[in-house]
Amino acid sequence: MPFSNVFSNPQFWKTFFSGAHYSYDDIPDLSGKVAIVTGATGGLGYATVVALAAHGAHVFLACRNRVKAEEAIERAHADILQLQFDFPNSKHTTHYDHEKNRPKLEFLELELGEMRKAQAAATEFLNRGLPLHILICSGGIKNREFELTEDGYESHFGINHLGHFVFTTALLERIRESAPARIVILTSMAHEIPPSNKAIDFKSLRDPKAQQHTLRRYGQSKLANVLFGKALARRLRNDRVYVNMAHPGCVDSQIRKMVLKSDNRHFHEFSRLWLQLAYTDKDAALTLLYCATSPEIVERDMRGRYFIPIANELRPNPISESVDLQEELWAYSDKAARGDNKV
């Protein structure tokens, strides 16, 4: 049964009463750090960009649309000042003089739906000769009608997983050289949806006639995120590169988008209650920021872990701990990245 692992877990219910385990005041000084955030022009990704830049990091907004990225960068200057105003007691925040020292924010063109373009984006960054201390894979899609990517893969799997797989692995050597470093992969509690007997239906990923519900396809891509994170963490176990996965919780901006797309009156009524329980983008970003910046991650050698709001560790779907499945996904993804049409 979907989510039985969550709802039967006392640790999950404790998070409702234990409070937040990370705040903006806890983020250390990030001066000299270079970060990339995918899906960075709005919502959760944008809130993450603002927080990293406000604490001194040089941040690349990795996304498709240059115009939206440039608009986000302009908007971020004001939001960085607002964040510093909201958290005046932060011990490490660099208070910028925007006339003399503007936050370092840049656009990096990234198309996750085409693997060759994901590779090209990584190459473009590598050609800059910069280190890479923080990679946050927060871009993606949700609840889309069935379609195939340019590479011929189901879109949720292709964008949420394969695009990030190619982009991340292409940057891996630079990340190793920049250690200590972090890789944070955004997932979702929806990774609990796929059944254990067919967690990822590899045969359906290129089949336009495959009959799968949208939530099943989305959940499958989010499970792939967890599997990839665990396989990557294992490969980096002897490096000072810390890979972890984060579920941000229900985010109010995402709920509002769904309301606008729906004409179902009952859904609109339910959404009013849902919004009362949802996190703002700024609060939802804290779990990703914990994985990306908290000294605890290094001090406690936390690798391949799964976190839910706010910065609470939880055991993920037990099937995600299958090394065989992790390696099957890695092999499939590697072949796909090399253009092997037989996968």
Side-chain angles (χ1 to χ4, degrees), residues 323-342:
V323 174
D324 288 343
L325 184 57
Q326 293 166 19
E327 292 306 309
E328 185 180 6
L329 175 66
W330 189 286
Y332 182 96
S333 304
D334 187 54
K335 287 181 180 179
R338 289 188 278 108
D340 187 339
N341 292 324
K342 295 181 180 179

Side-chain angles (χ1 to χ4, degrees), residues 134-185:
I134 299 170
L135 172 60
I136 299 181
C137 299
S138 58
I141 61 171
K142 182 179 184 180
N143 298 341
R144 296 271 187 92
E145 294 298 320
F146 182 88
E147 60 180 349
L148 298 177
T149 65
E150 290 294 325
D151 299 309
Y153 294 89
E154 190 279 317
S155 60
H156 290 85
F157 185 84
I159 293 171
N160 295 351
H161 169 64
L162 284 177
H164 280 120
F165 176 88
V166 171
F167 187 60
T168 302
T169 53
L171 293 168
L172 210 49
E173 193 55 39
R174 181 62 54 83
I175 295 172
R176 277 190 170 115
E177 294 169 358
S178 308
R182 315 283 184 96
I183 299 173
V184 185
I185 301 173

Side-chain angles (χ1 to χ4, degrees), residues 89-135:
N89 297 322
S90 177
K91 296 177 182 178
H92 304 287
T93 301
T94 301
H95 291 274
Y96 286 102
D97 179 341
H98 279 236
E99 295 302 317
K100 298 179 180 178
N101 187 15
R102 289 171 70 81
K104 295 179 180 178
L105 296 164
E106 295 190 54
F107 167 63
L108 177 66
E109 185 175 359
L110 171 64
E111 171 55 79
L112 290 168
E114 293 185 53
M115 287 183 279
R116 64 177 181 83
K117 290 186 177 180
Q119 176 70 52
T123 300
E124 181 182 344
F125 176 82
L126 293 173
N127 288 340
R128 292 286 300 272
L130 293 169
L132 181 55
H133 306 98
I134 299 170
L135 172 60

Side-chain angles (χ1 to χ4, degrees), residues 181-224:
R182 315 283 184 96
I183 299 173
V184 185
I185 301 173
L186 179 70
T187 184
S188 165
M189 199 169 284
H191 85 278
E192 300 273 357
I193 292 174
S196 58
N197 64 334
K198 207 170 191 180
I200 294 184
D201 188 359
F202 290 101
K203 292 182 179 179
S204 74
L205 293 175
R206 307 196 71 180
D207 182 3
K209 297 180 181 179
Q211 298 295 315
Q212 284 186 329
H213 190 276
T214 302
L215 277 176
R216 172 71 168 79
R217 289 186 278 110
Y218 174 68
Q220 182 173 252
S221 75
K222 293 289 100 181
L223 176 60

Side-chain angles (χ1 to χ4, degrees), residues 24 27 30 35-63 69 71-77 79-81 83 96 103-108 134 136 138 281-282 285-286 288-289 292-293:
Y24 284 92
I27 299 174
L30 301 175
I36 296 177
V37 180
T38 71
T41 57
L44 191 65
Y46 174 75
T48 304
V49 166
V50 169
L52 294 173
H55 289 79
H58 179 178
V59 187
F60 285 81
L61 289 75
C63 43
E71 290 173 350
I73 287 171
E74 282 304 308
R75 192 166 71 249
H77 293 311
D79 289 339
I80 287 168
L81 288 174
L83 188 69
Y96 286 102
K104 295 179 180 178
L105 296 164
E106 295 190 54
F107 167 63
L108 177 66
I134 299 170
I136 299 181
S138 58
D281 292 326
K282 191 163 69 173
L286 278 169
L288 280 80
L289 290 164
T293 67

